[in-house]
Each structure stands twice: as C-alpha cells, then as structure tokens.
Amino acid sequence: MSIIYGPNGTGKSGYTRLLKHICGAKNKGKLLHNIYDTSNNEQVCTLNYRIGSEKQVIKWNAKDGILDPLRYVEIYDSETALDYINQENEATYEPWVLTILTKLIEICTYVQKSIDEEIQQSETSLNKLPFEFKKTDIGIWYESLSHKTTPQSINEKCAWSEELSEEEESIKARLSELNPAQKAKDLKNTHDNLSSLQQMINKIVDELSFENCKKVISKNYEAVKKRRAAEQTATKVFKDFPLDGVDSETWKVLWEKARLFSERYAYQEKTFPHVEENSLCVLCQQPLDKEAKDRFMTFESYIKGALENEAKSAEISLEKHIDSMTEIPEAKSIKLLMDSALITRNEERAKIEKVFDMLSKRKETLLNHFSIEKYMPLPEFDNINFIKEKIAALRKSIAYYEKDAHMKDDEKMNLRLLDLKALYWISHQKQNIEKEVGKLAHVEKLNKAKRKASTRPLSVKKSQLSEVLITEAYVSRFRKELEFLGASHLKIELIKTRTRRGQVLHEIKLNNTSVKATTSEVLSEGEQRVVSLAAFLADVEGKPQNSPFVFDDPISSLDIIYEESTVNRLIELSNQRQVIVFSHRISLVTLLESMAERKKVEHKIIGLRREGTRTGETGDTPLFAKKPEKALNKLKNEKLDKAKRILNEFGEEEYQLIAKGITSEFRILLERLVESILLRDIVKRFRREINTKGKIHQLPKITKSDVAVLDEYMTKYSKYEHSQSVETPITLPLPDELQNDMEIVKNWIEDFKKR
C-alpha cells in the first residue's frame, strides 16, 4: 500500500486525473498543461511501473492516449462516485462466454453498417417514366421492377417490332378519321410540346445574349481579379518574413491578444493597430518605424480577411448567376423532346440538335474567356423556322378538328395507342432495365445478409446469460461490500435495468419507498459515498485481473464508523492487490498506517507539497507519519545544520526564519514522543480504539523524571508558538542550544527504551 498525503492544492487530484488518462478510466476530465507557463505546452511525463519482475520506464505523451499495459488499473474518485450513484452503469467485467457474444455483436454491427453503406451507394440506372405512361400496363410493370424480374420478362416487355410500329400508325390514322376530337387533342399536345421546345430555345438564347454574356464576363473577371488580389496579398504578407509560421493559428491568437491589450489598456479608443506618430509596439513596447507600421497594417488587412471575403463573395455571386441559367438538355433528352413534339424528319432533327449543340458550347466557354468575341456564336435561327411554321399549321388544324368534332372517340384505341407509345419508350430502356434488375438482385442479397447479421438474437441470449453470470454475482458482491463497509442497513439495491446491444446496465435504487425518489435525493452525502464505493468495489472485484487500485480521497464526507470500515476494507484489498490512496486527511493516513502495521501490510507514506506555482512535488514523509527517532535525527542532522550555515553566512535575521520552523517541528515531535514513546501508542490521535495488548504493563516504567523532561521541553518550546509581549520578547534559541536540547531528548528516548 502507498499512502500519498498532501494538503489541499498540492496536486493529488492532478496525479489522479493524469492516471485516469493513462489508464483509460471513465470521466477522465480535461488534462491541462501548466496554465501559468506559456513557453511549453507539451504534455509529457515519465512513468515507472513494474509488471511482475519486469521494470518499465516510459515517456508518455498526452497524445499517445491509453497505455495498454495499464488499462486494467482501477481508479476511484469523486466523478466515479457520482457515476455509480446517479447513472446506469455497464458491468466492467464479462465472463469469457459473454465476451464472445459481445465481440460477435460488435462484428455484426460492423457488418450491418458496411452493408447499409454499400446499399446507399447503389444508384438507379433507370430514366424517369414519362407521366402519361404511369397508368399503362407497361408503365406499371416498369415502376414495379424488382430482383424477381426475369430476363425472359425483360425481353418480352422491351420488344418493339415492325408490326407494332404499323399498328401505331394504323390507330393514328383511324383516330384521325373517326375521332376528330381526339385528333384535336393529340394535335394540341404536339402543339404544346413544340411550343415548349420553342420557348426553351428562346429562353436559352436570351440568357446567352450579348448583354447577358457581358454580365457573366464581368462577374467572372471580378471573381478572378479579387481572388488574385487575395492570393497576392497573402503572398505579400508572408513573403521573406524572417520567421516561419506567421500565418499559423498560434500567431493569429497572439495577434488577437495584442489587439485586446491595445484596445483595453495601451491605446484605449484607438483603432488597432495604433500606428500614429510616437506609437509603440504593444508586444515589445519599442517605437515603431515606418517598416514596422506598414507590416502592422498589412497584418491587420490579412487578419480581417477583407480581400478573401470579397473574393468568396464574387465567386458565390458568379456561381449563383450560372446556376440560375436554364440547363441545356442532354442529347437523350433532346431526342425525347423532339419525339414528344413529333419532329420525325432526320433533317429537322439534325438542325435542332445543332442549335442545342452551339448553345451548349457557347455556355461551356462562358467561364473560360474574358472577351465575348472568343465565344461560340449564336446559331442561325432561320434554320429552325420550321418550328414556328409547324406551330402555326397545328393551330389551324386544331381549330379545324375542334370545330368538326363529333362523338366518335374510341376509348380503347386511345388506350392502345398510349400503350404502344409506352412500349416504344420502354423498348429504348432495355439496357438500363437489365442493369437495374441486376442491382436490385445484389441489394436483395445484401439485405438477406444484413438480416442474418441481426444483433437481436445475440443480445437476447447475452441478456439471458448475463442475468446468471453477471447480475447475480454482481448483486451478491455489492451486498457483501455494503456489509464490509458497515452500510448493510441502508435500504438500497443494485438492479439490472436493461440490456443495450449486449451491454448489461445496472443502477442503484432505493427499495420499499412510498414515493418515487432517486438515491441522491434521499441518502446523505456520506451514505452516497460509501454506497458508490461498495458498487465500485463490487464491479471491479469481479474482474479476473489482479490489477492495482487508485483511490482519491475515498472517505470524503464519511463519519468515523464508515471511515474505519473503509480503512479495514482498503487494508484487506492491499493483501491481494497494490493499493494507492491519495488523501488530505491526517486521520485517514493515521488510520491506514496504524491498521497496516497491525495487519503487517507493507506500506509507505509519500508527502506532496506545493512550490510556488508548481504542485505535486514529492517531499519528505510528513512529521506525524515518521518514527519519532527518525524525525528527531532529521531535525538535528539536516535542518539544524542548515540553520547553522544560514546563521554564519547571512546573519541572525535570516536564521530566525529557519529557526522558527525547527522549534515548531520540535514542539510537535515532543507531542509525538508522549504518544509513541511515553504512552507506547496505547492512545493515539485520529485513532478511535485504545491499543493495550502487550503495552499497558509497561506504563509503570514511567518515572517522575520522564515526566519532568518532557514537561520541561514542552513548556519551553510552547512559548515559541505563541505571540509575545513587546516589552519582554523571547528570542529563538541559537543552534548550540537547540542541539543540546535535542541531544538530551535523544538520550532520554534511548534510556527509556532500554527499560
């Protein structure tokens, strides 16, 4: 057992937090560097540990994360205590059977995630079905394609023959003669599609007009110009600087701190950087020459990023303008548009395709040049005047058929014609359909695999096994720990709350309550502490590893009953494990030391102290924890010798400062002699029991001279502890007098022990 004692603020919690990061404990907290030292932010420490007989010396860096050989070290502190009291907790140890299930659950979860990612990456190969075909049989078949669709079915549905083409023309002719109303409707549909095509072309031409292209050129030029200005400014700012890293985040923070200092303290109500006449650098506080002032203004311009913001704004404006322009359809879509407008002659189709091609190329070159003369010219629209002519002719025909319409509409022929159109469209989608069905078949296999990788059966099985293998054993250990710690009378219980993806969660709850209340709302602070300690020990004691325990002030808020029970438990743990206890309570250190000595447990006490802004400095064992003889020898041989040198080298004034501490420690040591030597440790401060076994029979050896010696020096050195009268001050004894008194006391100890 190692007992590490230090008053508040000496670094105990810092060591605990460091160990939590090294060992991978829960609620590690933030690991700060020395916040008072800005010269070096590297977080490293040298770690010495031993596994069996093998010693290791590791230089650990906070960036390294958990140190694997020490991941089984168990750490208990205030955050851990709150976790066990207020939250659900997963049992940290699993029997090997459950560990296998846990690993399988992790693997299945990974497999499911990978399958989902692959499914999400699958893109459809299908073109969107035209709206008018949605209610046709072939349209319904097209939109219900699945992994079950067979190649035979695809071949049948996508077949288009000369007979079907002839049937389509025949129906059109019959409808033309027998159903003028339908003919008018069909012609109107063709008219609308032609008009839409014409409007699309006109809109694109207008967007690519000379004036609109000039606007795009202007925006493009502005964006390029501002981007170059931003890049040139950045290059100018940092070129040929004597120091690297001026544009780093660290440098930017330094600049902002300089701004804050300038505006708040140095040059209030002055714009930063202040570079007027007689201005000083806010960092080095030296006068600024012209070059320095120019550099300051350049830095500020770069930091504010006006040029960069202007460049981004210009680029965004250009991008929005381009995005607002009408998208020029691809060749496949153009063909569909011409098909829907019944433009069937190859010559006419070629002219329209050429118009779209020229418009597309003009738009493509729009961002690559700054001169309108270098753009692809607008097409000659006389070549597609036939569209206007067709529209005009269709208007006349529509008016004619609407005028002569009669009730000869054959609904069946219309439906068949629509089916034929849909069949024709589908026949051109065969390759995409085959790709889509292949993809759907692959996705179905992935879904089957995903279903087979379900974690639910594993979680259910683990939950069933954990009830026996974890929960019952965990609850049993918890009850035993409560009994060990003297808290078995508390009306609390540890119960399993749920299983989450194979994780077995437990919670401490009150039992037999008339109203719903949490543990922390009812138990006192001390009771919460002892209950959390019992839960912690019950949890980690279930692990097979014989790992060390680290406790940071384990008895905080505990009364003497719980304190003694906790000490007994820690001593018992130290028989099988390494136990490290951090504490600022002298009573705990005394109890641990006393109990360790009684149980013959190997132990040592380490002191921590603060030196200036540095904490966690290891020092000598506290005086109260030393054997009186050793403490006296240290006072006489080390501290008194140091006082003599100070007296000889610096004089009495400096000596008085050291002598005051020596007399105070000598006074405390005399009290310890009464406890440890005169009364044989029968009665001891911070210890509840009176230890008489093998000792009380030695009390008659005490003589009046023993009492006189101790009383004399207790009285003499007590006066140095109290304030003195101004008229009759008491000066501190010189080294020779102190040495003489210490020799007398030392001789008395040796003589008394020989009796």
Side-chain angles (χ1 to χ4, degrees):
M1 172 177 284
S2 297
I3 306 165
I4 303 172
Y5 168 78
N8 289 327
T10 53
K12 300 184 300 300
S13 295
Y15 276 118
T16 303
R17 189 176 298 113
L18 179 61
L19 287 172
K20 290 175 77 171
H21 279 262
I22 292 172
C23 304
K26 293 191 298 183
N27 296 323
K28 295 186 290 291
K30 190 174 182 181
L31 192 61
L32 299 173
H33 58 77
N34 186 346
I35 62 173
Y36 301 104
D37 181 6
T38 58
S39 62
N40 184 8
N41 292 338
E42 188 178 17
Q43 295 177 285
V44 295
C45 69
T46 302
L47 193 67
N48 295 268
Y49 64 91
R50 178 169 52 83
I51 300 178
S53 59
E54 184 179 350
K55 294 183 179 180
Q56 296 285 343
V57 179
I58 300 293
K59 187 174 182 180
W60 182 82
N61 191 306
K63 298 176 183 177
D64 297 338
I66 301 170
L67 188 60
D68 193 67
L70 301 184
R71 65 171 56 252
Y72 295 111
V73 173
E74 303 295 344
I75 301 175
Y76 177 85
D77 61 357
S78 298
E79 286 78 11
T80 306
L82 290 174
D83 264 0
Y84 278 99
I85 283 293
N86 297 326
Q87 298 181 13
E88 291 178 312
N89 282 277
E90 180 189 4
T92 57
Y93 166 66
E94 288 183 339
W96 67 270
V97 174
L98 298 185
T99 301
I100 292 175
L101 292 176
T102 299
K103 293 296 182 183
L104 286 173
I105 289 170
E106 291 175 359
I107 292 170
C108 289
T109 302
Y110 174 79
V111 169
Q112 287 183 320
K113 182 180 177 182
S114 300
I115 291 173
D116 282 335
E117 290 174 353
E118 186 172 346
I119 291 175
Q120 290 170 6
Q121 291 171 359
S122 300
E123 296 181 356
T124 182
S125 304
L126 297 178
N127 290 316
K128 187 176 181 180
L129 180 72
F131 180 77
E132 62 267 26
F133 300 154
K134 284 186 175 292
K135 293 184 179 180
T136 63
D137 292 339
I138 194 66
I140 294 171
W141 173 84
Y142 181 77
E143 292 195 323
S144 62
L145 292 171
S146 71
H147 65 281
K148 295 181 179 180
T149 303
T150 64
Q152 181 181 358
S153 174
I154 296 174
N155 290 332
E156 291 176 356
K157 298 292 185 181
C158 296
W160 181 259
S161 62
E162 187 67 26
E163 290 78 9
L164 292 175
S165 181
E166 291 176 358
E167 182 185 358
E168 182 181 16
E169 293 300 323
S170 174
I171 292 174
K172 288 178 182 178
R174 289 167 60 196
L175 289 173
S176 175
E177 296 175 2
L178 301 175
N179 193 347
Q182 181 61 41
K183 184 67 174 180
K185 185 177 179 181
D186 291 339
L187 292 176
K188 189 175 184 303
N189 185 49
T190 303
H191 168 272
D192 292 341
N193 290 335
L194 271 172
S195 297
S196 297
L197 179 62
Q198 180 71 53
Q199 291 169 8
M200 177 186 291
I201 294 173
N202 291 340
K203 186 177 181 183
I204 295 173
V205 169
D206 181 67
E207 290 174 348
L208 295 176
S209 67
F210 179 83
E211 291 300 322
N212 284 335
C213 284
K214 282 179 65 177
K215 290 180 183 178
V216 176
I217 290 172
S218 176
K219 287 180 176 289
N220 189 16
Y221 177 79
E222 187 71 13
V224 172
K225 181 180 71 175
K226 290 183 176 179
R227 171 53 60 196
R228 287 176 179 169
E231 292 174 350
Q232 290 170 358
T233 299
T235 302
K236 180 181 177 182
V237 170
F238 303 119
K239 183 180 180 182
D240 299 329
F241 270 34
L243 296 176
D244 293 333
V246 178
D247 59 339
S248 66
E249 289 303 317
T250 303
W251 178 86
K252 290 178 183 176
V253 171
L254 175 64
W255 184 258
E256 291 304 325
K257 293 297 183 182
R259 181 197 305 282
L260 182 64
F261 173 74
S262 176
E263 295 176 348
R264 185 174 295 179
Y265 301 104
Y267 297 110
Q268 298 179 13
E269 301 181 358
K270 296 288 186 180
T271 303
F272 177 80
H274 180 56
V275 294
E276 296 176 6
E277 187 175 356
N278 299 326
S279 59
L280 301 179
C281 174
V282 294
L283 295 175
C284 66
Q285 302 188 13
Q286 294 185 13
L288 295 171
D289 56 19
K290 183 179 183 305
E291 183 181 352
K293 291 178 180 179
D294 291 343
R295 188 182 295 118
F296 263 44
M297 295 307 295
T298 303
F299 284 162
E300 182 65 4
S301 175
Y302 169 71
I303 288 297
K304 288 185 176 179
L307 293 177
E308 176 66 19
N309 291 337
E310 289 178 4
K312 288 182 179 178
S313 178
E315 290 167 350
I316 292 172
S317 176
L318 174 63
E319 184 178 352
K320 287 183 178 179
H321 188 87
I322 296 298
D323 290 343
S324 67
M325 298 175 70
T326 303
E327 184 177 356
I328 298 177
E330 296 179 352
K332 185 183 294 185
S333 299
I334 294 171
K335 290 179 180 179
L336 291 175
L337 289 171
M338 291 188 294
D339 289 343
S340 63
L342 295 181
I343 300 174
T344 57
R345 293 179 59 190
N346 292 333
E347 181 182 355
E348 293 175 345
R349 293 171 73 92
K351 290 178 179 179
I352 292 175
E353 288 172 347
K354 183 177 180 181
V355 166
F356 275 109
D357 182 64
M358 293 182 69
L359 292 174
S360 178
K361 289 179 179 178
R362 182 177 176 87
K363 186 175 181 181
E364 285 177 3
T365 57
L366 190 59
L367 290 178
N368 299 324
H369 299 91
F370 296 129
S371 174
I372 190 66
E373 289 77 18
K374 295 183 179 181
Y375 286 3
M376 170 70 73
L378 288 170
E380 296 290 337
F381 294 103
D382 291 342
N383 293 333
I384 57 172
N385 280 337
F386 66 86
I387 296 179
K388 293 181 181 179
E389 295 169 359
K390 282 179 177 288
I391 292 173
L394 283 169
R395 286 175 182 165
K396 292 180 181 179
S397 297
I398 292 168
Y400 173 76
Y401 282 111
E402 286 179 343
K403 182 178 179 181
D404 297 333
H406 51 80
M407 301 303 293
K408 294 182 180 180
D409 184 16
D410 191 331
E411 184 178 354
K412 290 184 179 180
M413 283 196 294
N414 279 301
L415 291 175
R416 178 57 181 164
L417 181 60
L418 186 61
D419 284 339
L420 289 170
K421 288 181 179 180
L423 282 168
Y424 179 79
W425 186 86
I426 291 291
S427 68
H428 289 77
Q429 310 299 319
K430 182 177 179 181
Q431 187 175 0
N432 290 338
I433 291 172
E434 290 173 337
K435 287 182 179 179
E436 181 70 10
V437 171
K439 185 209 77 175
L440 292 173
H442 180 62
V443 169
E444 176 60 20
K445 290 179 180 178
L446 291 175
N447 282 322
K448 284 183 179 179
K450 181 181 175 182
R451 288 191 290 272
K452 289 184 178 181
S454 172
T455 61
R456 187 177 182 281
L458 294 169
S459 295
V460 171
K461 179 56 67 177
K462 182 176 178 182
S463 178
Q464 294 169 347
L465 291 173
S466 65
E467 189 69 39
V468 177
L469 299 178
I470 292 182
T471 300
E472 292 181 5
Y474 191 5
V475 170
S476 176
R477 290 195 303 273
F478 177 67
R479 290 171 182 162
K480 288 181 181 178
E481 292 296 341
L482 285 177
E483 187 176 345
F484 288 151
L485 298 174
S488 57
H489 62 285
L490 297 177
K491 295 181 178 180
I492 56 173
E493 58 183 341
L494 179 69
I495 63 172
K496 188 183 84 169
T497 52
R498 59 195 172 103
T499 302
R500 179 186 59 198
R501 285 191 175 272
Q503 297 175 328
V504 184
L505 302 178
H506 296 81
E507 187 176 4
I508 297 172
K509 291 191 175 182
L510 302 167
N511 54 21
N512 299 325
T513 58
S514 58
V515 296
K516 187 176 181 180
T518 63
T519 308
S520 58
E521 290 172 332
V522 175
L523 297 184
S524 69
E525 187 176 346
E527 289 173 331
Q528 291 181 48
R529 189 72 167 189
V530 77
V531 167
S532 71
L533 182 59
F536 170 76
L537 293 174
D539 186 8
V540 299
E541 278 280 87
K543 292 185 178 182
Q545 298 87 4
N546 196 18
S547 52
F549 279 159
V550 178
F551 295 92
D552 184 12
D553 274 331
I555 64 168
S556 175
S557 307
L558 300 186
D559 61 22
I560 188 62
I561 301 292
Y562 288 141
E563 186 172 329
E564 289 179 349
S565 299
T566 301
V567 167
N568 284 326
R569 187 70 183 105
L570 295 181
I571 294 296
E572 184 178 343
L573 284 172
S574 66
N575 285 319
Q576 293 85 32
R577 302 172 182 260
Q578 180 185 7
V579 176
I580 301 172
V581 181
F582 290 89
S583 182
H584 69 283
R585 296 181 61 168
I586 296 176
S587 61
L588 175 63
V589 177
T590 303
L591 283 171
L592 285 170
E593 182 186 26
S594 176
M595 186 65 68
E597 290 175 351
R598 186 189 310 170
K599 296 288 183 70
K600 295 182 172 53
V601 171
E602 181 183 351
H603 65 284
K604 61 180 177 181
I605 300 176
I606 301 171
L608 292 182
R609 68 180 187 277
R610 172 190 287 270
E611 290 188 1
T613 59
R614 299 200 315 272
T615 61
E617 296 291 335
T618 56
D620 194 19
T621 304
L623 185 63
F624 68 84
K626 288 183 178 179
K627 296 293 183 182
E629 299 94 317
K630 291 183 179 180
L632 182 58
N633 287 334
K634 186 174 181 66
L635 272 180
K636 185 170 70 71
N637 297 331
E638 295 181 17
K639 295 190 177 182
L640 190 55
D641 284 348
K642 181 179 179 181
K644 288 178 182 179
R645 291 194 300 272
I646 290 175
L647 177 62
N648 294 331
E649 294 177 17
F650 303 103
E652 189 168 341
E653 184 175 351
E654 293 294 325
Y655 164 76
Q656 292 286 329
L657 298 175
I658 301 296
K660 182 66 175 71
I662 294 175
T663 58
S664 179
E665 290 194 15
F666 190 39
R667 171 67 174 76
I668 295 171
L669 181 59
L670 290 168
E671 293 179 3
R672 291 273 289 134
L673 291 176
V674 174
E675 281 183 330
S676 300
I677 305 299
L678 190 69
L679 299 180
R680 312 282 183 173
D681 276 338
I682 294 174
V683 178
K684 197 170 185 179
R685 284 173 292 182
F686 311 114
R687 193 178 68 192
R688 193 177 182 203
E689 74 276 6
I690 298 175
N691 189 1
T692 61
K693 186 175 181 181
K695 297 180 178 182
I696 196 169
H697 67 279
Q698 297 183 14
L699 291 180
K701 296 179 182 180
I702 299 174
T703 65
K704 289 183 179 181
S705 63
D706 297 328
V707 175
V709 169
L710 292 174
D711 187 50
E712 176 187 353
Y713 289 110
M714 286 281 286
T715 302
K716 177 179 179 178
Y717 284 92
S718 290
K719 61 188 177 184
Y720 301 123
E721 295 292 295
H722 307 296
S723 59
Q724 307 297 329
S725 169
V726 177
E727 289 79 9
T728 58
I730 299 176
T731 59
L732 292 168
L734 293 175
D736 289 342
E737 182 180 353
L738 281 169
Q739 184 169 0
N740 183 63
D741 291 346
M742 291 179 186
E743 286 289 349
I744 292 173
V745 172
K746 180 181 178 183
N747 292 334
W748 174 83
I749 294 172
E750 292 174 353
D751 177 66
F752 188 81
K753 283 193 165 186
K754 291 177 182 177
R755 299 178 194 174

